[in-house]
Amino acid sequence: MPLKVPGADLDGVLKLDHMEDAKNILKFARRGRTAIVVGGGITALELVEGLASRGMKVHYLLRGDRYWSNVLDEQESKIVETQPSRGRREVAFSRRDR
């Protein structure tokens, strides 16, 4: 299913739903480049760590005020958020008041 958001057709804007998507991401994953990962699930977290381990600077964008707040307690979330990535990962949260 194609990604349907403004800018989704720009070069380097990728999604991860299938194995072919993963292969496409790996084509763009190069040491010294920057990636932005959006999503709060395990797959996104693994992608962040994988890209960082390839030498990429990764900005990880999450909705809410902490990682996986509906599953983990505050202390557990902090462990995930501060997990070392050799300085190549930045986590940013977006909180929208309802």
Side-chain angles (χ1 to χ4, degrees):
M1 168 185 291
L3 185 60
K4 296 179 182 177
V5 297
D9 58 340
L10 296 174
D11 191 38
V13 176
L14 309 167
K15 64 180 181 61
L16 177 58
D17 290 327
H18 305 287
M19 182 58 81
E20 287 304 313
D21 298 334
K23 290 176 184 176
N24 198 26
I25 289 170
L26 289 175
K27 290 178 190 174
F28 281 85
R30 300 285 182 261
R31 181 170 301 285
R33 295 185 80 178
T34 300
I36 298 171
V37 176
V38 180
I42 294 293
T43 303
L45 181 62
E46 290 291 333
L47 181 58
V48 167
E49 294 303 319
L51 294 173
S53 73
R54 292 175 79 89
M56 297 186 73
K57 171 81 171 182
V58 183
H59 299 276
Y60 185 24
L61 307 180
L62 297 162
R63 182 175 44 199
D65 56 0
R66 62 185 175 87
Y67 181 77
W68 237 14
S69 60
N70 60 332
V71 177
L72 304 176
D73 67 28
E74 194 168 338
Q75 184 178 9
E76 293 166 331
S77 290
K78 271 293 183 232
I79 291 169
V80 174
E81 295 163 16
T82 59
Q83 181 70 22
S85 293
R86 293 171 290 287
R88 293 189 283 253
R89 176 182 77 171
E90 292 183 23
V91 180
F93 297 93
S94 170
R95 187 167 167 223
R96 198 167 41 162
D97 294 327
R98 296 175 196 198

